Amino acid sequence: MENKWNWKALAATIGTFWGIYMFAATILEMYSVKILWFSPEVFRFMASIYPGVDASLAGAFIALFWGLVDGAFCGAVIAGVYNWFSDKFE
């Protein structure tokens, strides 16, 4: 029985979720909203990692772009590693 993950689907899913998260975190930082896990510390950490991300509308769209790219890459890697291990442990 073959148990493989579609790397394209996982890349698109994780990329979309991470991009939306980063976009929302930037918008919330613009308005100084502190709810749940969104805080200035999280935003400062995120802005220090991703170039061009700041508390502005342009920064929010840059964060969305970086989230899509970073999430897609991580999703593809996760699916690839899972598929590799699923072949080894069958």
Side-chain angles (χ1 to χ4, degrees):
M1 180 174 140
E2 202 141 321
N3 190 16
K4 300 274 186 187
W5 283 0
N6 183 337
W7 69 271
K8 293 177 205 171
L10 193 63
T13 302
I14 293 177
T16 300
F17 277 105
W18 187 240
I20 290 170
Y21 173 83
M22 289 181 59
F23 182 83
T26 306
I27 295 296
L28 291 174
E29 179 62 23
M30 278 175 47
Y31 296 107
S32 300
V33 176
K34 296 177 188 175
I35 58 170
L36 300 174
W37 54 88
F38 294 107
S39 68
E41 292 81 23
V42 170
F43 179 77
R44 279 195 301 269
F45 178 69
M46 184 177 72
S48 71
I49 295 173
Y50 298 102
V53 175
D54 59 357
S56 68
L57 189 57
F61 282 103
I62 292 170
L64 176 66
F65 168 77
W66 281 118
L68 290 170
V69 170
D70 189 31
F73 175 75
C74 290
V77 168
I78 289 168
V81 170
Y82 175 84
N83 290 340
W84 185 77
F85 274 112
S86 69
D87 287 342
K88 301 297 178 196
F89 292 115
E90 283 185 349

